[in-house]
Amino acid sequence: MAQNKGAENGGFSFTRTGSMGRQGLPKIQTHPEATSEVCHDDSGTPVKAKTIDELHSLQKKKSSQPTTPINGTQGAFAAISEEDRQKQQLQSISASLASLTRETGPKVVKGDPARKSEGQKATHVEHHLYDASLFGVSDSALKFTHILYNLSPAELYEQAIKYEKGSFITATGALATLSGAKTGRSPRDKRVVKDEETENELWWGKGSPNIEMDEHTFLVNRERAVDYLNSLDKVYVNDQFLNWDPEHRIKVRIVSARAYHSLFMHNMCIRPTPEELLEFGTPDFTIYNAGQFPCNRYTHYMTSSTSVDLNLSRREMVILGTQYAGEMKKGLFSVMHYLMPKRQILSLHSGCNMGKDGDVALFFGLSGTGKTTLSTDHNRTRSQIFGMLSNLGLLWRMLCSMSILERWITPEKSVTENTRAAYPIEYIPNAKIPCVGPHPKNVILLACDAFGVLPPVSKLSLAQTMYHFISGYTALVAGTEDGIKEPQATFSACFGAAFIMMHPTRYAAMLSEKMQKHGATGWLVNTGWSAGRYGTGNRIKLAYTRKIIDAIHSGRLLNASYTKTEVFGLEIPTEIEGVPSEILDPTNTWSDKKAYKDTLLQLGGLFKKNFEVFLNHKIGKDNKLTEEILAAGPNF
């Protein structure tokens, strides 16, 4: 879901203008001489604005419009006063912020403390959750913590510009900001509570992304995060949804200290209507983002001042020592990868699009394989079937109001080589909203094979689909990372190993079952090299790959004639319209046949070595990895 590109490729610039808008905000500079486009909001009827004030005003009007279907609660919503509605919200938030070892938390107040002088009416709710005779009273009980609840993007822009150092509005209207010292995820600092519920359900040990911690240590870190948030004058609270399917919707609450974090999650999650917020009640999952405050390095299981902790039994996540917003999004990936399979719903880290006749295709692939490029098709709508989050990427035309540039780059100053942008899914051209559709017809596994021995396209059996899905293969090429001199195989289980919670075979078995039930076909598409490995061969032309994908979508490739390759046993078509037939079989493209065979065996050996970690795993108590999946791998 992420696409990283250098800012120099985006064609945008960053600036502060001399003129000032309301609340001291710099006005947007549109550079009319540089481009004929005007910033607009693609989530509905195009709205044009020349200043950031105008954009904010229009966006604030739109923020109350429904983004998910209304479930007929208008009557109940109209029957309750605004004061009572706010009181219910604050009581719920107050309970979320309750400390486990303090008698009370802070007095929770609605609104911005900086605006009390403007006649703002304060509403507060006090904690009375614990017996005063058992616990000491904390100093935080004597103060007010102001809750900025589900603010609109315009209000979050204002908060970030006024209170977060290094934040400014770009010429396109996006909010540029900094994520602190951490410019990416901290996977080695991610911890998951191992308890009676998760001990036998999650994937632990070699190859697993789940590093265990105990309940007590989690509560220590939770206490540290909640105490920090309670000590602040104000915190931001988002109540939002995951999963577009109303029957399997998850209510999530994000409590954070930064406006940019709140705006990031506003973009990433599904935004409730006012009617849905009324009935929101107790969240199913809560994130406490205290990333500006470090964890205690002397606490058990801690190896640095950063800790990202998941407690699936308590349905809570705690973030300490990192302000990188992606930790929240990826944390919710992990949560959904745990909760959805328990409901017999397969959660996937993939791209998706749908044809005019309702045929859905899933695209799996690691970074650099072309997942975003190939799933983008002007003839097909982009979607996320059972999607939980909005998209992440970097496209100039989407960097308008509501967008975030994280870890920005300017021509004058480079904060980091890796800049990202977060924007609502409504900004994606041809986005299908709500993101719900029929079961996939095609499952496409993308690999950028820098060894140059995989065919441009192969039709997979169910067992082969499971094998290659579990493997999650692509290859890095020289120059992409320091120290890489020749192609280096990379494997990421289920094409998202960092976020899966259960063993990869659990997800693969569900994928196979659903593909068989709904008649889906698996395909392996190589977007990498042909006629030799990287450095001697040639990259397969994108135009050819698009012709291959078109043939898959149309169903023509199902009726093609096929031959089988050696070692991997892949079925490859002999002819595809618009694609030179000689490149379909790699043996035809290599002039040095011995080098081809040696390289093919080398890659097959890497696949076998990678798969060793999965051989002895049992699903439940007695269901071992099937011999059928093993036989679907390289055979030599």
Side-chain angles (χ1 to χ4, degrees):
M1 296 192 48
Q3 182 183 15
N4 307 321
K5 296 189 183 294
E8 66 275 13
N9 296 329
F12 53 86
S13 62
F14 303 84
T15 184
R16 291 179 181 273
T17 66
S19 58
M20 305 299 289
R22 59 184 175 83
Q23 301 298 329
L25 291 178
K27 289 189 176 181
I28 184 171
Q29 182 175 334
T30 57
H31 293 307
E33 70 281 3
T35 174
S36 60
E37 292 195 28
V38 180
C39 281
H40 62 278
D41 183 343
D42 289 335
S43 62
T45 304
V47 176
K48 297 183 179 180
K50 294 183 179 179
T51 68
I52 196 63
D53 289 347
E54 191 175 351
L55 275 172
H56 283 178
S57 176
L58 293 169
Q59 183 58 60
K60 189 170 182 179
K61 291 179 181 178
K62 294 189 66 177
S63 65
S64 63
Q65 294 179 357
T67 59
T68 51
I70 297 176
N71 58 3
T73 58
Q74 293 95 323
F77 183 78
I80 189 170
S81 69
E82 177 67 16
E83 185 175 351
D84 288 340
R85 184 176 74 86
Q86 289 190 16
K87 185 175 181 181
Q88 289 181 8
Q89 289 174 345
L90 291 174
Q91 286 174 335
S92 176
I93 295 168
S94 176
S96 293
L97 281 169
S99 168
L100 295 179
T101 59
R102 314 280 191 237
E103 178 193 358
T104 63
K107 298 180 176 69
V108 178
V109 183
K110 187 74 173 285
D112 186 356
R115 295 192 173 183
K116 284 191 293 185
S117 59
E118 300 176 14
Q120 176 182 347
K121 181 180 179 181
T123 305
H124 73 270
V125 178
E126 299 186 30
H127 290 282
H128 295 289
L129 302 176
Y130 301 101
D131 186 351
S133 64
L134 299 178
F135 303 101
V137 176
S138 168
D139 284 345
S140 66
L142 306 177
K143 64 177 286 293
F144 289 99
T145 293
H146 294 254
I147 301 297
L148 280 67
Y149 182 71
N150 274 28
L151 296 188
S152 68
E155 293 168 313
L156 291 170
Y157 264 52
E158 179 182 352
Q159 291 287 319
I161 295 299
K162 289 177 67 175
Y163 303 114
E164 297 186 4
K165 184 178 179 180
S167 296
F168 62 91
I169 299 172
T170 72
T172 63
L175 174 67
T177 188
L178 297 171
S179 61
K182 298 286 185 176
T183 59
R185 290 187 303 106
S186 302
R188 294 182 181 179
D189 296 310
K190 178 186 173 184
R191 301 287 183 270
V192 182
V193 173
K194 189 174 186 179
D195 54 23
E196 292 182 359
E197 178 180 340
T198 59
E199 182 175 7
N200 296 320
E201 286 194 321
L202 299 193
W203 180 22
W204 305 103
K206 185 178 180 180
S208 168
N210 302 317
I211 306 173
E212 69 176 86
M213 71 187 308
D214 59 25
E215 174 86 6
H216 175 78
T217 304
F218 174 85
L219 293 178
V220 170
N221 283 353
R222 181 193 187 279
E223 188 80 349
R224 191 172 177 92
V226 170
D227 279 352
Y228 170 75
L229 292 168
N230 286 345
S231 72
L232 301 176
D233 288 335
K234 61 183 177 183
V235 297
Y236 301 88
V237 175
N238 294 50
D239 279 348
Q240 295 178 278
F241 294 131
L242 306 181
N243 200 327
W244 286 91
D245 182 0
E247 292 186 16
H248 301 285
R249 179 176 288 167
I250 302 298
K251 298 183 295 183
V252 62
R253 172 168 292 162
I254 304 104
V255 185
S256 56
R258 293 194 59 181
Y260 121 72
H261 287 160
S262 186
L263 179 58
F264 181 92
M265 296 309 289
H266 173 93
N267 289 347
M268 291 293 104
C269 297
I270 301 166
R271 295 171 288 281
T273 64
E275 291 84 357
E276 290 167 333
L277 281 177
L278 172 65
E279 296 185 340
F280 196 87
T282 303
D284 300 311
F285 195 87
T286 303
I287 295 177
Y288 299 99
N289 189 344
Q292 291 166 294
F293 199 67
C295 69
N296 188 326
R297 292 175 295 158
Y298 296 99
T299 305
H300 193 36
Y301 293 102
M302 299 299 103
T303 55
S304 75
S305 59
T306 297
S307 191
V308 179
D309 307 330
L310 279 175
N311 189 324
L312 295 171
S313 299
R314 288 185 57 89
R315 304 292 194 263
E316 291 181 330
M317 178 180 181
V318 168
I319 299 174
L320 291 165
T322 173
Q323 298 177 62
Y324 178 63
E327 293 288 5
M328 295 180 288
K329 180 174 78 86
K330 298 303 187 182
L332 293 178
F333 265 166
S334 298
V335 170
M336 296 294 275
H337 278 319
Y338 174 73
L339 294 178
M340 291 298 102
K342 292 169 71 69
R343 302 184 183 189
Q344 301 306 308
I345 296 173
L346 178 58
S347 56
L348 300 167
H349 183 224
S350 70
C352 177
N353 66 24
M354 186 170 69
K356 296 176 181 178
D357 295 329
D359 58 299
V360 171
L362 295 182
F363 292 81
F364 293 91
L366 303 179
S367 179
T369 59
K371 180 173 58 176
T372 302
T373 300
L374 294 173
S375 64
T376 303
D377 187 332
H378 69 277
N379 292 316
R380 299 171 66 85
T381 58
R382 294 190 65 187
S383 186
Q384 293 173 324
I385 306 308
F386 293 116
M388 56 186 122
L389 303 167
S390 293
N391 210 345
L392 188 67
L394 183 58
L395 296 173
W396 181 87
R397 68 179 305 275
M398 296 176 185
L399 298 184
C400 297
S401 180
M402 291 178 67
S403 301
I404 300 173
L405 278 173
E406 185 182 46
R407 299 168 285 134
W408 39 267
I409 302 174
T410 71
E412 295 80 20
K413 182 178 181 181
S414 176
V415 177
T416 173
E417 295 180 357
N418 185 15
T419 296
R420 293 173 184 252
Y423 50 83
I425 197 169
E426 292 90 346
Y427 281 24
I428 299 176
N430 292 341
K432 183 184 184 301
I433 300 173
C435 299
V436 178
H439 289 277
K441 180 179 178 181
N442 293 293
V443 175
I444 301 170
L445 311 183
L446 301 172
C448 179
D449 178 29
F451 292 87
V453 295
L454 291 182
V457 61
S458 311
K459 185 174 67 172
L460 303 177
S461 66
L462 280 174
Q464 286 176 323
T465 303
M466 293 173 72
Y467 181 90
H468 287 278
F469 176 69
I470 292 173
S471 297
Y473 163 72
T474 195
L476 298 175
V477 297
T480 55
E481 292 185 9
D482 290 340
I484 296 180
K485 305 299 182 184
E486 60 180 28
Q488 179 174 308
T490 300
F491 298 92
S492 181
C494 305
F495 294 94
F499 321 120
I500 61 177
M501 303 297 289
M502 302 174 184
H503 195 273
T505 53
R506 293 278 295 273
Y507 301 98
M510 288 186 69
L511 177 62
S512 176
E513 176 188 354
K514 292 182 181 297
M515 287 180 64
Q516 189 170 25
K517 180 178 179 181
H518 300 285
T521 305
W523 306 89
L524 179 63
V525 174
N526 174 21
T527 61
W529 271 256
S530 178
R533 65 169 64 207
Y534 172 82
T536 59
N538 304 307
R539 186 79 185 260
I540 298 172
K541 292 182 179 180
L542 177 60
Y544 295 159
T545 304
R546 286 200 180 277
K547 290 291 185 181
I548 290 170
I549 298 298
D550 289 344
I552 292 174
H553 288 325
S554 68
R556 296 193 307 271
L557 210 50
L558 282 175
N559 301 319
S561 298
Y562 286 87
T563 60
K564 184 170 287 190
T565 68
E566 56 183 340
V567 179
F568 280 87
L570 299 170
E571 290 192 29
I572 57 176
T574 58
E575 186 178 3
I576 300 176
E577 183 181 350
V579 181
S581 297
E582 61 269 18
I583 75 168
L584 296 176
D585 187 343
T587 58
N588 297 331
T589 63
W590 283 63
S591 58
D592 189 336
K593 305 302 181 185
K594 183 180 184 302
Y596 165 76
K597 184 63 177 292
D598 291 343
T599 306
L600 181 64
L601 292 174
Q602 178 190 3
L603 182 61
L606 294 173
F607 266 83
K608 282 191 170 185
K609 182 178 180 180
N610 172 72
F611 220 79
E612 288 175 357
V613 72
F614 309 120
L615 295 181
N616 297 321
H617 179 74
K618 298 179 180 180
I619 301 176
K621 296 182 178 180
D622 53 13
N623 188 9
K624 293 184 179 180
L625 185 66
T626 64
E627 292 297 325
E628 184 182 3
I629 300 177
L630 282 175
N635 187 9
F636 59 95

